[in-house]
Amino acid sequence: MRYIDVHCHINEEDYGSTEILLNNIKTAGVEKIISVGFDLQSSEYCKDLAEKFDWVYFTAGFHPTELKKYEEGALDGIARLAKHKKCVAIGEIGLDYHYPDTDKRLQHRIFKEQLRLAEELKMPVQIHSRDCAEDMLGILREYAPRLRYGAMLHCYSHSSELAKEFEKLGLYFSFGGTSTWSGSKKAKRTISALPSDKILTETDSPYLPPKSKYGTFPNTPESIPEIAENIAEIKGMSLSEFSETVWNTAHKLFYKLNN
């Protein structure tokens, strides 16, 4: 059984020893992880981690809630990192209207610039989308021709009806610990509605632990087997069949995982 975490945040600040954490992840059967950047500094850190561990990959990008730190020209640094052989996507990028001081105009501009950058570099994107469903769908419809190298909505939280609209644009969807919670009816409906080869597994560690670890911190990629088992049950698949489907889908979307 091969598992993969396509979206997690690995750092010593939240977990302590990175070596011990990664050994525990491997012991849990998670054979590859993608450590996700959210600004230039974190993307650099993820690169260093990927260079140190052969089964760790990374993304580089500017998260919408981190744009107060954004300086013009920062995307040149993201572009440089994206050319690394183990950088599998531009991300995480997107929109987030959760906070009252949201600068929507800036979020839209930097999101679109990063979508253009991904197309230019022939790379997929990992997208963060919170409390912004209508605008996200509008931008992705507008930019659909630029998504030809692939796009994934991470920790998908919108409706199953909207998922079908995103699916028409060729998007993939990843689900994490929240999909295992008893009250996550929307996530379960969406998982049921989507084709199995459009679904990926993530933890968004150190956040969003699964049902068995609810209320604990930090969550880690060791939770992937529990998440995969829950999704397999929803889809009416064996765990081995589902985990292999996810493995193949991840390697198709994030083609540098094959390097």
Side-chain angles (χ1 to χ4, degrees):
M1 206 104 66
R2 299 183 292 182
Y3 297 109
I4 184 168
D5 187 339
V6 300
H7 188 106
C8 58
H9 302 281
I10 303 298
N11 57 67
E12 292 181 348
E13 180 182 339
D14 290 320
Y15 306 96
S17 169
T18 301
E19 282 81 2
I20 292 174
L21 170 66
L22 291 174
N23 284 335
N24 290 341
I25 293 168
K26 253 305 185 53
T27 300
V30 182
E31 294 192 12
K32 289 184 181 181
I33 64 172
I34 300 174
S35 185
V36 173
F38 50 83
D39 60 13
L40 191 52
Q41 183 179 359
S42 63
S43 298
E44 288 273 9
Y45 177 87
C46 291
K47 174 191 75 74
D48 293 343
L49 195 67
E51 288 179 342
K52 190 173 180 181
F53 299 93
D54 62 0
W55 54 285
V56 176
Y57 296 79
F58 77 103
T59 73
F62 247 96
H63 188 287
T65 64
E66 300 298 318
L67 293 179
K68 288 177 182 176
K69 295 183 280 185
Y70 179 80
E71 296 178 357
E72 294 306 324
L75 292 190
D76 293 338
I78 297 298
R80 172 180 52 80
L81 288 168
K83 293 172 185 175
H84 192 283
K85 65 180 181 180
K86 296 190 76 180
C87 184
V88 301
I90 301 295
E92 65 185 287
I93 65 177
L95 304 176
D96 190 322
Y97 295 172
H98 185 70
Y99 301 103
D101 61 346
T102 296
D103 185 340
K104 293 183 181 180
R105 182 174 295 180
L106 179 62
Q107 285 195 13
H108 284 217
R109 179 169 72 86
I110 302 304
F111 181 34
K112 290 176 180 179
E113 285 184 14
Q114 290 182 102
L115 290 176
R116 290 193 290 268
L117 175 63
E119 183 193 29
E120 189 179 305
L121 297 175
K122 299 181 179 180
M123 294 186 71
V125 293
Q126 287 206 9
I127 299 172
H128 172 99
S129 181
R130 181 162 66 157
D131 299 342
C132 62
E134 187 176 331
D135 284 356
M136 178 59 70
L137 182 58
I139 289 175
L140 294 182
R141 278 174 172 163
E142 177 189 353
Y143 275 70
R146 296 182 181 272
L147 302 176
R148 52 189 164 150
Y149 300 105
M152 181 191 88
L153 284 164
H154 107 86
C155 210
Y156 184 79
S157 61
H158 302 309
S159 69
S160 58
E161 291 79 14
L162 271 173
K164 284 297 185 182
E165 296 304 311
F166 288 121
E167 188 194 350
K168 290 175 186 176
L169 302 176
L171 269 72
Y172 294 78
F173 307 79
S174 66
F175 297 89
T178 54
S179 64
T180 71
W181 298 354
S182 301
S184 293
K185 295 178 181 178
K186 186 163 61 172
K188 290 176 171 63
R189 283 197 299 270
T190 303
I191 290 167
S192 295
L194 288 171
S196 57
D197 62 358
K198 285 287 187 178
I199 297 172
L200 293 155
T201 51
E202 68 160 285
T203 57
D204 201 19
S205 300
Y207 315 108
L208 306 179
K211 185 177 180 179
S212 71
K213 300 173 185 174
Y214 187 79
T216 64
F217 185 91
N219 185 28
T220 80
E222 297 165 83
S223 299
I224 284 291
E226 180 178 348
I227 292 164
E229 185 174 10
N230 176 69
I231 297 175
E233 185 178 340
I234 293 169
K235 297 300 294 177
M237 300 170 69
S238 69
L239 181 55
S240 60
E241 181 187 8
F242 177 69
S243 64
E244 194 65 17
T245 298
V246 171
W247 183 270
N248 293 334
T249 299
H251 285 72
K252 176 184 175 183
L253 175 58
F254 303 116
Y255 60 88
K256 287 187 187 178
L257 287 172
N258 297 294
N259 292 342

